Amino acid sequence: MRAIQIQAAGAKPTVTEIPAPTEVAANQVRVHVAASALSNLAKRVATGAHYSADDVYPKTVGLDGVGTLDDGTYVYFDHPLGGALAEEVIVPIAHVMEIPASLDPVNAAALPNPGMSSYAALTYRAQLQEGETVLINGATGVAGQLAVKMAYALGAKKVIATGRRAEALNATGADITIASNQLDLTDADSRAAYGASLATVAGEVDVVLDYLYGPSAEVLLTALAQTTAGSHPVRYVEVGAMAGATLNLPASLLRSSKLSVMGSGLQAVDTVDLQTAVEQTYQLADRYGWQVPTQAFELSDIATAWTAPNNPRAVITF
């Protein structure tokens, strides 16, 4: 059968013929794969660049996907260490869940990663309460756009969306949008201008989901700390690092405010809670008709799909 594999750490993926699985244990099921998303996480794990990756190669790409069981049941499945991008996979029953038939395979394959990230961050890390205000930093990407919808669905009273592109932010449906546009946030004047804009809303923020980190987070954390001071707590959850992997955070900002800074990821949230996050994402997507921007590629187009922009999300179909 065909699969997409990487032969060594950092190598490019190729379509490879591998033996079809034959043995199915009592605690396993066979999934006939219909689609699998090429999220940043899936690519980083496959190439060995993610903190959760092992160094065993060759490696079949893909962390999860959707397909059907031998009896035709429509399911989502996950392969935590990789292996989803093959025509057939054998996975433990505990890693399979039935999903709503209303969701087409391409959209269904693209939903779990961004949906899980926002649901887990809001529910298990920030512990969002109904009626609170949420700020999504980096709301123009696939994950950030869905996070706006997720925040409302989980009870947020108000959502503030920040990011680079004003037009994309306006399309999120957030109550308030603040765009940095093409500001250079390493420049002092640009940081001051953007920080002043953020300060106009910082005082009402209860929860932040940050998909950017880097200079953007520095400006935002400063605005939150200086504006709220000791007036009320803010739970700041780092989810992604699209704008930079590090930041400069003065100790005084933490001592002079009620900021709680934490992360949300594969090892910051319990596995059972991540599974619940995926299940709830599918239920909410079915209820509200959520669609994420996607671009479908056939298996043979893996070279193009691998380097395609992450928005819309690349999905490999079988």
Side-chain angles (χ1 to χ4, degrees):
M1 70 175 185
R2 296 174 301 157
I4 293 176
Q5 287 197 327
I6 288 179
Q7 302 303 314
K12 300 295 184 184
T14 58
V15 179
T16 308
E17 289 287 336
I18 64 173
T22 55
E23 299 294 328
V24 183
N27 66 336
Q28 297 177 323
V29 290
R30 183 196 317 272
V31 181
H32 304 270
V33 182
S36 178
L38 283 178
S39 63
N40 281 333
L41 177 61
K43 291 190 284 188
R44 287 176 59 81
V45 169
T47 57
H50 193 262
Y51 61 80
S52 68
D54 60 34
D55 59 356
V56 179
Y57 292 90
K59 185 191 301 293
T60 300
V61 177
L63 295 178
D64 59 5
V66 297
T68 55
L69 303 182
D70 287 339
D71 64 3
T73 302
Y74 187 33
V75 297
Y76 163 82
F77 68 94
D78 72 272
H79 250 311
L81 297 179
L85 271 166
E87 291 182 288
E88 294 181 5
V89 296
I90 304 298
V91 293
I93 293 174
H95 289 257
V96 174
M97 67 179 68
E98 187 171 356
I99 60 175
S102 64
L103 302 174
D104 71 86
V106 172
N107 188 47
L111 276 166
N113 177 260
M116 173 183 62
S117 72
S118 56
Y119 185 95
L122 289 167
T123 301
Y124 302 118
R125 299 299 282 159
Q127 299 184 13
L128 176 69
Q129 303 299 305
E130 188 167 353
E132 291 188 314
T133 295
V134 177
L135 188 150
I136 309 296
N137 189 37
T140 61
V142 172
Q145 292 174 52
L146 189 57
V148 173
K149 296 181 175 67
M150 185 69 75
Y152 284 125
L154 295 179
K157 172 187 67 176
K158 179 183 290 187
V159 178
I160 302 164
T162 62
R164 284 187 176 274
R165 295 175 288 122
E167 182 178 351
L169 289 174
N170 291 336
T172 64
D175 295 282
I176 299 172
T177 61
I178 299 176
S180 60
N181 291 324
Q182 299 305 310
L183 290 175
D184 178 6
L185 296 184
T186 63
D187 171 74
D189 290 338
S190 292
R191 290 166 70 94
Y194 188 49
S197 297
L198 294 172
T200 63
V201 299
E204 56 186 307
V205 174
D206 300 295
V207 171
V208 175
L209 261 58
D210 180 16
Y211 290 89
L212 299 180
Y213 212 56
S216 174
E218 291 180 10
V219 179
L220 177 54
L221 283 162
T222 300
L224 288 167
Q226 292 179 345
T227 304
T228 62
S231 62
H232 76 276
V234 179
R235 288 102 72 200
Y236 193 105
V237 187
E238 190 276 324
V239 185
M242 297 302 294
T246 61
L247 56 74
N248 179 22
L249 181 62
S252 60
L253 288 184
L254 299 180
R255 294 199 307 268
S256 62
S257 67
K258 294 180 179 178
L259 278 172
S260 297
V261 181
M262 68 195 86
S264 184
L266 296 180
Q267 294 172 354
V269 180
D270 292 341
T271 298
V272 65
D273 291 333
L274 291 175
Q275 291 175 329
T276 300
V278 173
E279 182 178 13
Q280 289 301 308
T281 293
Y282 278 125
Q283 295 303 318
L284 291 168
D286 183 45
R287 182 186 308 168
Y288 295 113
W290 289 348
Q291 295 279 332
V292 294
T294 57
Q295 184 176 2
F297 295 88
E298 295 183 359
L299 203 67
S300 58
D301 293 327
I302 182 58
T304 302
W306 193 256
T307 58
N310 199 42
N311 187 8
R313 181 63 48 88
V315 176
I316 302 295
T317 62
F318 291 83

